[in-house]
Amino acid sequence: MKRGLSFVLSIIMLAILLAACGNSASKDEQSAQGSDSEKSLRMALVLPEKIGVNPFFVQMDEGFKKAGEEFKVDTKTIESTDPAAFEQNLRAAVAENYDLIITATFQAEDALKKVAAENPEKSFAIVDTTVDLPNVRSVGFREYEGAYLLGAAAGLSTKTDKVGMIAAMDVPLIKKYTEGFKAGLESVNPGAEFLVNYVGGFNDPAKAKELALVQFGKGADFIAGASAVGDLGVFEAAKEKGFYTSGQDTDRTVEDPEHIVLSQLKSTDTVAYETVKDFVEGNFKAGAVNYGLKEDGVGLTYVTRDSESPLNAFVGQEVIDKVKAIKDDIVSGKIVVKDPLQQ
């Protein structure tokens, strides 16, 4: 009888031990699942060149990192030294299993088309150009709307009726600037002469300065910079010769408000931030999205955003008020600025 009782007690103890182990394993499994569900998203910004002093990439990186901090996302920015290195960096980001990979500009198009097509399960975004693939969001700007405002401001401000622009390259993207500027200029000052020259690249201040001096020699009193890093050469020429100029992407007036009197704005920080935000909130979709004046994706200093610099008398408040009215008409649809790439 004692042996029978001992046997029963042994069975009961074994059952208790097995139940305890089962509960422990269940808790461990739940803990692991909870850990996986709370795991941070990981996103990479892979750029086709070094950030350097190009404001386009500087503020894009700032917006990307700001979104990462706010939405608790692990972010990494990868800069490339040349086209070959860019594709390698893009593939490395895929291999490292980032949840979203963001890149930018037409320089990244060819590599992204290959890498995204080879990895259809991955999500990508590209800023400032279009890649038509089912796993890529293409984020574009209606730069021609901001350029229209800049051209109108130049046309209303010029005293010689000769204005110019030093553009980076004669490529479709840059036509959004040159043609938009020209349309705005003609809308307020149809008799003004528009001079445009191309640097041939995005990183040549010396060439940009040389071309700006040529335009100044032809009588231009306002010469817009639209050549990325090359704008530094235009600014230098303006300071030496005393003409007026404008910058791109960010408020460049703060660098020399006596000569850099306006800046056409392009909010790459906003689109990088919004792209991360959409992905985190489950609103990320492939396809094309565009940001213009209505979405505060483009603009002009003193017109759509305030500046730390005082308004230069060459432009004056009367001109700004007129350009603000033009901006309102564009936003409302009363004025339609045509996309030069769709004409």
Side-chain angles (χ1 to χ4, degrees):
M1 204 173 155
K2 287 181 180 179
R3 285 198 296 270
L5 182 60
S6 296
F7 177 74
V8 171
L9 289 173
S10 297
I11 294 297
I12 292 172
M13 290 297 294
L14 180 61
I16 291 172
L17 285 170
L18 288 172
C21 289
N23 287 337
S24 177
S26 177
K27 288 178 181 178
D28 288 344
E29 184 178 347
Q30 289 175 2
S31 177
Q33 289 175 348
S35 177
D36 287 342
S37 65
E38 295 170 6
K39 185 179 178 181
S40 295
L41 289 171
R42 299 170 64 247
M43 301 186 191
L45 176 62
V46 186
L47 299 177
E49 62 180 70
K50 286 189 170 294
I51 292 175
V53 295
N54 188 337
F56 180 96
F57 292 121
V58 171
Q59 65 175 4
M60 186 177 180
D61 182 53
E62 290 172 352
F64 176 66
K65 289 176 178 173
K66 178 184 177 184
E69 291 177 3
E70 289 191 18
F71 298 106
K72 311 302 181 188
V73 174
D74 289 338
T75 59
K76 182 178 182 180
T77 299
I78 304 169
E79 302 172 60
S80 307
T81 54
D82 56 55
F86 170 69
E87 184 171 336
Q88 291 171 5
N89 288 336
L90 205 57
R91 292 187 182 282
V94 172
E96 292 173 21
N97 202 30
Y98 282 94
D99 298 290
L100 175 65
I101 300 170
I102 306 173
T103 187
T105 76
F106 72 93
Q107 298 164 276
E109 279 184 31
D110 291 341
L112 182 60
K113 285 176 182 177
K114 288 193 290 184
V115 175
E118 293 169 7
N119 298 276
E121 77 289 349
K122 277 290 173 191
S123 294
F124 299 87
I126 187 166
V127 177
D128 212 29
T129 189
T130 301
V131 170
D132 187 14
L133 287 172
N135 57 333
V136 178
R137 170 182 278 198
S138 299
V139 184
F141 297 90
R142 299 195 295 278
E143 295 96 340
Y144 45 90
E145 292 181 352
Y148 188 97
L149 296 185
L150 179 59
L156 292 167
S157 301
T158 180
K159 310 303 185 287
T160 64
D161 283 339
K162 290 184 179 181
V163 300
M165 175 178 280
I166 305 302
M169 299 174 70
D170 189 6
V171 295
L173 171 65
I174 303 302
K175 287 188 181 298
K176 291 184 180 182
Y177 294 87
T178 57
E179 295 299 318
F181 184 97
K182 182 180 179 183
L185 173 65
E186 291 177 345
S187 72
V188 298
N189 190 346
E193 182 180 358
F194 177 47
L195 308 172
V196 60
N197 290 99
Y198 298 96
V199 176
F202 294 86
N203 297 284
D204 194 344
K207 182 67 174 180
K209 179 180 179 180
E210 176 187 329
L211 295 172
L213 292 174
V214 170
Q215 290 188 0
F216 174 72
K218 293 180 178 179
D221 60 351
F222 179 89
I223 303 171
S227 57
V229 179
D231 289 353
L232 297 175
V234 181
F235 300 162
E236 189 176 319
K239 192 169 185 177
E240 289 181 9
K241 296 297 183 180
F243 63 82
Y244 301 95
T245 184
S246 62
Q248 292 289 338
D249 299 335
T250 59
D251 184 2
R252 309 299 295 273
T253 66
V254 296
E255 299 172 35
D256 180 10
E258 187 177 345
H259 301 99
I260 309 171
V261 297
L262 293 167
S263 264
Q264 183 179 330
L265 305 174
K266 188 169 180 176
S267 301
T268 55
D269 52 346
T270 296
V271 301
Y273 178 93
E274 292 294 329
T275 300
V276 172
K277 179 175 182 286
D278 282 352
F279 195 89
V280 171
E281 296 180 348
N283 299 320
F284 182 89
K285 294 180 181 178
V289 293
N290 283 283
Y291 290 76
L293 285 173
K294 188 174 183 179
E295 299 81 12
D296 194 32
V298 300
L300 186 68
T301 47
Y302 308 106
V303 176
T304 62
R305 293 191 188 182
D306 293 331
S307 172
E308 295 179 9
S309 306
L311 178 63
N312 192 290
F314 174 76
V315 179
Q317 191 60 47
E318 185 178 350
V319 167
I320 293 300
D321 291 341
K322 289 179 180 178
V323 178
K324 283 183 176 180
I326 293 172
K327 182 266 295 182
D328 291 341
D329 285 344
I330 294 173
V331 171
S332 70
K334 186 176 180 180
I335 294 177
V336 177
V337 184
K338 294 180 179 180
D339 181 350
L341 304 187
Q342 301 298 322
Q343 294 180 17

